[in-house]
Every structure is written in C-alpha cells, then in structure tokens.
Amino acid sequence: MLTGAAGGLGTVLRQTLKPFADILRLSDIIAPAEKLQSETGEELILCNLADKASVAQLVAGCDAIVHLGGVSVERPFEEILEANIKGVFHIYEGARLHGVKRVVFASSNHAIGFYRQDEIIDAGVPRRPDGYYGLSKAYGEEMASFYFDRYGIETVSIRIGSCFPVAKDRRMMHTWISARDLTELIRCALVTEGVGHTIVYGMSDNKQVWWDNHLAARLNFVAQDSSEIFREQVERQPMPAADDPVAIYQGGAFTAQGPFE
Ligand code: NAI
Ligand code: 15L
C-alpha cells in the first residue's frame, strides 16, 4: 500500500513501484489526479489518516506499507498532529492488528534540520527537528522503533532530502534525490531482511554531502544519479547572505518558519 498517493511523490512512485507489487493499494484523503489503472492491479481507498477506524480498515490485507501520506511542509501544530502524528500511530496500529510486518516511512531531513551545513552526520546522531513538521517525522521514527521492539514490525525510515525533478538551489545540491534513486531505495527498504528499524538518508550520489549512510549499509542501496547535472544552473543564482538560515542549517528555510500565532 502507498499512502499519500495523490501527492507529488505518490504520483511518481505509484508508477515506479508498480513492478514490485501484484496489487498496489493507493490511498489519500483526496482522489489522485491520474486515472486508476485497475487493469494493472491498482486499487484506491480514500481515507483520512486522522481517522483510526478507517486506517485500520485501509491496512487490512496489505503485505507492506509505504507511508508517504500527511502534511509535507511546516504548518501549525494542530494540523501536523492530525495528519502526521495521529496518522503514523494509526498506520502502526493497523499494521499490528492486521499482521503487516514491513513499513517504509517517509521521514525527512527536517527531523535533523537544525544541524549546521558544516557538519557531517550519520543516522545515529540525536534528532534536531526544525519545526512541528520535523518533530512529527522524529516522532514517526520513534514510533517505528517502538513497534519493532514491542511487536516485531520492521521499518526503514527514509530521511528524504529533496525529491524533485531538479535541484532548485545550492542547498539542494546536497539534499537532492532523483525519483529513480528514491524508488530503488524504497525497493531495498522493502526487500532487505533483518532491517529492524533502520534509518537512512535519502539522497542521490551527490558530490557534496552532509549525511553519512554507513549505518544503513545493510540495505545495499546504490544511487545512480547526482545533483552535479544542476550545478551550472544553480550557481547562476545569487549567493544567500551568510546569516540567512538557508546558508546555515541543513533544514534551510524550514528552520525559520513560524510561529503561526
Ligand atoms: P505532498 O504534500 O505532495 O503529498 C502528501 C499527500 O498526503 C497529499 O496528497 C495529501 O493529500 C496527503 N494527505 C495529507 N493529509 C492527509 C490526511 N490527513 N489523510 C490522508 N492523506 C493526507 O508531499 P510529497 O512531496 O509527495 O511527500 C510525500 C512524503 O514524503 C511526505 O510524507 C513528506 O513529508 C515526505 N518527504 C518528501 C520530500 C520531498 O522532497 N518531496 C522530502 C522529505 C520528506
Ligand atoms: C521536505 O520534507 C518536504 O516535504 C519537501 O517539500 C521539501 O521541502 C524537502 O523537505 C526539502 O527539505 O527540500
């Protein structure tokens, strides 16, 4: 099952993950723009992640869950609470009730966004969320850890950098991951045995990196793409000021969003 199927990544991954599933159950709170392809094994169940009973029904019968659904940017806490924090709890409770043994959780670099850009970190460092959104991803990772220790449900939490068709700015030269590489990373996360709860940074084979993935070596993920192809275009942009959070923190602009009241 793929949650968040109507979103930016869901729209792409729905196509690229299809070869790895006989039936791909799509879910979102809104209908995806692209037509359902039931003839190739797609099915669609609309569901609000904040609704526990509906999520339990949604999860029934799945072998594995790729959990992309939820609020994907910084927003007031109450919005994040419903979709992301309650949402991830409902996904794991559904998995426990229905015997689903593998989850791939779309975590984010914003779980560690307050590390500085002059630091290189691995997946073992304490989290430093850069907002309510980043906090919800940190919470999701802890939830994954708990459900493995208590119930044996395995998860790979992918701290996705920036998965867009192009690296749009200097920061994304470090954080960019292509859809092809993210697909392969999700495939590795689904099929590798004995992952327990593994955290991995989702980035392509970029030349400049802030993240060290040695703790996720068991996934055997090999990236094929690199942000270098965007360098010329990106370096035409003016340099941000030295005191701009965009140039200081790994989470970039997210570190300076809010407060909302
Ligand atoms: P998106 O915002 O385009 O898609 C998220 C989807 O979740 C939307 O279709 C939305 O309708 C759905 N959703 C929101 N609230 C919901 C609810 N209460 N119930 C059910 N569905 C709900 O985000 P995108 O870019 O596709 O990201 C997918 C996932 O990957 C998100 O969890 C995001 O946090 C994570 N991520 C994405 C990155 C990127 O570069 N695109 C980077 C880091 C993490
Ligand atoms: C994220 O977590 C967001 O979901 C995505 O929209 C981008 O902002 C990305 O991080 C990023 O840091 O570039």
Side-chain angles (χ1 to χ4, degrees):
M1 177 173 69
L2 187 64
T3 68
L9 291 187
T11 302
V12 176
L13 292 171
R14 172 182 166 183
Q15 308 292 335
T16 60
L17 293 177
K18 185 67 200 59
F20 311 125
D22 295 330
I23 297 173
L24 186 59
R25 179 174 298 172
L26 307 175
S27 183
D28 205 290
I29 198 169
I30 54 167
E34 312 283 324
K35 188 173 162 280
L36 192 70
Q37 296 180 350
S38 36
E39 63 286 359
T40 65
E42 281 188 344
E43 51 183 47
L44 174 67
I45 302 181
L46 296 184
C47 174
N48 182 353
L49 289 162
D51 179 341
K52 189 176 185 185
S54 301
V55 176
Q57 279 184 343
L58 172 69
V59 168
C62 293
D63 297 317
I65 301 169
V66 177
H67 182 43
L68 304 178
V71 175
S72 64
V73 292
E74 183 60 347
R75 296 292 301 157
F77 180 73
E78 292 77 6
E79 287 178 39
I80 301 277
L81 175 65
E82 294 301 317
N84 294 19
I85 294 182
K86 291 185 187 172
V88 75
F89 167 59
H90 297 159
I91 287 287
Y92 278 99
E93 270 299 276
R96 180 183 70 78
L97 287 168
H98 295 290
V100 180
K101 288 293 183 198
R102 181 64 61 104
V103 177
V104 178
F105 172 53
S107 185
S108 169
N109 70 88
H110 297 289
I112 49 81
F114 262 120
Y115 281 94
R116 295 178 60 95
Q117 295 182 2
D118 54 12
E119 294 175 280
I120 293 183
I121 57 173
D122 65 21
V125 297
R127 298 175 181 88
R128 297 185 73 174
D130 59 23
Y132 301 123
Y133 167 68
L135 273 164
S136 75
K137 296 300 185 180
Y139 181 82
E141 292 181 2
E142 288 289 13
M143 179 79 55
S145 176
F146 166 70
Y147 271 82
F148 174 64
D149 290 337
R150 181 69 180 78
Y151 301 111
I153 297 170
E154 295 193 279
T155 298
V156 175
S157 291
I158 305 179
R159 288 182 180 163
I160 304 171
S162 309
C163 189
F164 298 104
V166 300
K168 298 176 202 165
D169 53 28
R170 285 183 165 77
R171 176 180 164 275
M172 285 195 194
M173 292 301 292
H174 301 73
T175 61
W176 186 74
I177 179 167
S178 66
R180 172 165 72 162
D181 285 343
L182 183 58
T183 301
E184 171 60 7
L185 182 50
I186 293 173
R187 190 195 65 78
C188 294
L190 288 168
V191 302
T192 305
E193 288 181 13
V195 292
H197 177 223
T198 296
I199 299 174
V200 61
Y201 292 97
M203 60 184 164
S204 281
D205 185 20
N206 302 332
K207 195 166 162 190
Q208 301 163 299
V209 289
W210 297 323
W211 305 324
D212 171 347
N213 262 338
H214 76 279
L215 293 174
R218 64 167 71 80
L219 295 176
N220 285 316
F221 165 61
V222 181
Q224 307 216 15
D225 297 311
S226 164
S227 60
E228 276 310 293
I229 53 171
F230 307 112
R231 182 169 296 284
E232 210 182 304
Q233 208 176 321
V234 161
E235 290 189 346
R236 275 194 225 121
Q237 299 172 7
M239 284 288 274
D243 61 352
D244 186 332
V246 162
I248 300 174
Y249 297 111
Q250 296 186 6
F254 277 54
T255 62
Q257 285 170 9
F260 293 96
E261 293 177 351

